[in-house]
Amino acid sequence: MGNFSRRQFLQSSLAVAVSSSLSRYAMAEDKVPLWIPPLTAVGRGSPILLNALNIKKSFNGKQKVDAWGFNDFYLGPTIKMKQNDFLRLTYRNSLSETIAINIQGLQANGEISGSINRNIAPQTSWSPIIPIKQSASTCWYHSDTIGRSAYQSYRGLVGMWIIEDEESKKGLIPNKYGENDIPLILQDLSLNYEGQQLFNLDKNQFLGKQLFVNGQRNCFVNVPRGFVRLRLLNASVSRPYYLALDNQQPLLKIASGLGFLPKPQEITTLPLVPGERVEVLVNLTQGQTVRLLAGKDRGIFDQLRSILGLSDDLENNLVLELRPQGLASAFAQQKPTLPDANLGLPLTPVKERTFVLNTQDAMINQRRFDPRRIDIVAKLDTVERWILSADQPTGFQLQGAKFLIEQQNGKRSTKDDLSWTDTVWVEGETRILVKFENQSSNSYPFIFGASNLLLADKGCMGLLVVQ
């Protein structure tokens, strides 16, 4: 190398990397309009087709590559239904491998809810009739194929599912889909030089390097001036998010996945677990542009560390830039009011169970998933207390039932903190009160376990029968 020292070589290499990163950073400043998944509003008894198939998608803004999706879209359409309606749904598998689809958050019996025991072979269909009994909710549908749910969801087999009821339409909260009620599906992806998705199955978690929202990077959305509702879904395989506005303005949390809070709750930083759905309001009555970030605002050297593989952080942590337009109406300036949370307190548990999640070996209570073994039998229309812990912080979720978070990491929830959900972050001891309102059987059980789909695929889940 002659007189060119090792230190000079490293400094030169770092300078080239910084220069390249600065160039990428500058290019990333050109924001693109947010794509809103098309809305399919389903009336009583209407038929709908969800066709899983190969599509062409540009992830890097340049060449299109192979990806998966539903009905010709990367990610599926948003399905919107009303309480007490029913749906004639057909899943069609036009892919070359078997899939199973779960509607996470749907409160229905095990026979019609899909999940791991409703495999759909290539070029075949399955057509359940799905009744909607539950109150207003934000659910999502995604791959739930044994051993393949993480990979298939990562490729694009994901969509949002919204349920309304009469009470939810009476509250003073935004409800115009795509205008002031914005769906945001968060994914962290890694791409190769050709813009194709990369996925590593070797570890028990997957952390992508780039943040995508509704299948796009670095987005903005024009919204009416006033309060804007964001329906947030963490569809990442393993990564949790900690969301905040760049101007330190609080977010108003109004709902978890399966129900409203008793009243809006001001939150400076909003955690979002894999598989979790949360609804928040952002006050844009002042007319100033704000950015929703995943973590703190970061500089170029933070990005460089990520690009060079020195950290697991995202290269760019912008979720969305919100650009209010026009004048604020009198309605837009009114304080939001929420419908009844329907908590049904007090809840009296009939049984207490303990679960220890082992993220290193992908087990629950020292047992790995076995599709032939029923792990829990619960009684219909009862409540149980589940005590959760894990060797490392991780997400936990449950199908076919719902719960309130009684205590988390030593902190007991107040009544104002409570809302129905099916997903929780387990860090320290977590206590939940689980309510069983839907039946399942040995042939069509519900599943519970890690909401990290890769960890669940490797065995950190179990089977639940409710009878």
Side-chain angles (χ1 to χ4, degrees):
M1 220 179 262
N3 295 326
F4 198 60
S5 70
R6 177 180 174 83
R7 176 175 292 182
Q8 288 172 318
F9 173 76
L10 291 173
Q11 289 175 338
S12 175
S13 299
L14 185 61
V16 170
V18 170
S19 175
S20 172
S21 299
L22 284 169
S23 174
R24 290 174 64 179
Y25 182 77
M27 291 172 60
E29 287 301 294
D30 296 328
K31 296 179 175 60
V32 299
L34 177 73
W35 179 75
I36 305 292
L39 178 66
T40 301
V42 182
R44 186 171 181 80
S46 299
I48 184 173
L49 172 69
L50 287 176
N51 185 17
L53 73 176
N54 284 292
I55 57 101
K56 293 291 185 180
K57 163 72 178 172
S58 174
F59 292 102
N60 61 6
K62 300 175 184 177
Q63 65 267 47
K64 290 187 176 182
V65 296
D66 288 330
W68 294 357
F70 291 99
N71 299 6
D72 298 323
F73 298 104
Y74 174 79
L75 308 181
T78 297
I79 309 300
K80 190 173 185 179
M81 295 193 66
K82 296 178 182 178
Q83 186 183 37
N84 299 321
D85 278 357
F86 67 93
L87 167 68
R88 299 178 186 275
L89 176 61
T90 296
Y91 295 110
R92 174 72 180 171
N93 182 9
S94 297
L95 296 167
S96 59
E97 63 179 76
T98 296
I99 64 172
I101 305 296
N102 172 51
I103 306 170
Q104 181 63 33
L106 179 69
Q107 300 298 293
N109 69 53
E111 189 171 352
I112 64 173
S113 61
S115 190
I116 60 174
N117 289 291
R118 286 291 190 180
N119 288 323
I120 308 169
Q123 311 309 316
T124 65
S125 302
W126 175 51
S127 300
I129 297 177
I130 299 177
I132 302 299
K133 303 180 296 181
Q134 67 206 80
S135 301
S137 310
T138 298
C139 307
W140 69 303
Y141 58 96
H142 64 92
S143 166
D144 208 22
T145 314
I146 293 180
R148 297 287 285 173
S149 67
Y151 176 77
Q152 292 179 353
S153 297
Y154 182 80
R155 291 302 308 275
L157 298 189
V158 168
M160 194 173 284
W161 190 294
I162 295 173
I163 296 171
E164 287 186 332
D165 59 23
E166 291 301 320
E167 290 299 316
S168 66
K169 292 186 290 185
K170 294 178 183 177
L172 285 177
I173 48 177
N175 59 11
K176 294 182 179 178
Y177 180 85
E179 297 181 26
N180 58 13
D181 184 354
I182 312 295
L184 299 178
I185 301 174
L186 279 61
Q187 297 173 291
D188 58 332
L189 307 180
S190 286
L191 308 177
N192 65 13
Y193 289 110
E194 296 177 346
Q196 297 171 321
Q197 293 167 291
L198 297 175
F199 192 71
N200 184 357
L201 287 166
D202 294 337
K203 298 181 179 180
N204 286 353
Q205 68 172 359
F206 173 83
L207 299 174
K209 305 305 291 184
Q210 299 180 35
L211 177 57
F212 282 74
V213 181
N214 296 355
Q216 295 177 294
R217 295 182 296 186
N218 212 51
C219 301
F220 74 90
V221 63
N222 293 325
V223 292
R225 190 168 166 180
F227 283 96
V228 173
R229 181 183 191 175
L230 304 179
R231 293 182 190 259
L232 296 155
L233 160 61
N234 183 351
S236 293
V237 170
S238 307
R239 185 187 293 275
Y241 296 99
Y242 298 89
L243 307 179
L245 297 174
D246 67 335
N247 63 354
Q248 287 74 56
Q249 175 183 334
L251 297 161
L252 287 178
K253 181 179 177 181
I254 61 170
S256 298
L258 298 181
F260 287 100
L261 278 79
K263 62 181 182 180
Q265 185 181 63
E266 287 194 359
I267 295 180
T268 303
T269 301
L270 175 72
L272 196 67
V273 181
E276 187 176 18
R277 295 86 60 209
V278 172
E279 297 179 40
V280 298
L281 299 180
V282 181
N283 188 349
L284 298 174
T285 55
Q286 298 302 313
Q288 297 177 339
T289 294
V290 297
R291 295 184 303 150
L292 181 65
L293 303 176
K296 296 179 180 179
D297 204 353
R298 293 154 48 235
I300 184 61
F301 284 100
D302 295 313
Q303 290 188 320
L304 178 60
R305 283 175 54 82
S306 178
I307 292 168
L308 294 179
L310 302 177
S311 79
D312 290 326
D313 292 340
L314 296 160
E315 291 180 15
N316 184 356
N317 67 339
L318 174 67
V319 177
L320 183 66
E321 185 172 279
L322 295 157
R323 300 178 179 179
Q325 309 289 308
L327 300 175
S329 67
F331 172 78
Q333 297 183 63
Q334 293 185 56
K335 187 176 181 179
T337 59
L338 304 182
D340 187 355
N342 295 317
L343 299 177
L345 300 176
L347 299 178
T348 304
V350 299
K351 185 183 284 288
E352 189 169 280
R353 304 181 193 266
T354 300
F355 301 88
V356 179
L357 280 69
N358 185 326
T359 64
Q360 299 299 310
D361 299 318
M363 295 190 293
I364 299 178
N365 293 346
Q366 297 303 309
R367 295 203 296 184
R368 189 168 284 110
F369 172 72
D370 183 343
R372 299 162 298 181
R373 183 189 68 231
I374 300 300
D375 297 280
I376 296 174
V377 177
K379 188 175 180 181
L380 186 66
D381 295 326
T382 65
V383 174
E384 294 185 358
R385 175 180 287 114
W386 288 12
I387 303 173
L388 313 172
S389 61
D391 59 341
Q392 293 183 5
T394 192
F396 176 90
Q397 69 179 6
L398 173 66
Q399 289 180 3
K402 59 186 180 181
F403 58 78
L404 300 176
I405 301 171
E406 184 181 34
Q407 182 176 308
Q408 198 167 16
N409 202 14
K411 182 181 178 182
R412 191 170 182 85
S413 301
T414 68
K415 183 178 178 180
D416 290 342
D417 296 330
L418 296 175
S419 57
W420 290 111
T421 186
D422 54 28
T423 311
V424 66
W425 186 243
V426 179
E427 183 175 5
E429 185 179 277
T430 298
R431 293 175 176 244
I432 59 177
L433 295 174
V434 185
K435 192 171 186 180
F436 303 101
E437 297 180 324
N438 303 286
Q439 286 185 298
S440 61
S441 64
N442 288 46
S443 299
Y444 300 103
F446 299 130
I447 66 172
F448 65 92
S451 68
N452 172 343
L453 295 179
L454 190 52
L455 191 57
D457 282 346
K458 292 179 181 293
C460 193
M461 66 178 186
L463 297 180
L464 164 68
V465 168
V466 180
Q467 59 187 20

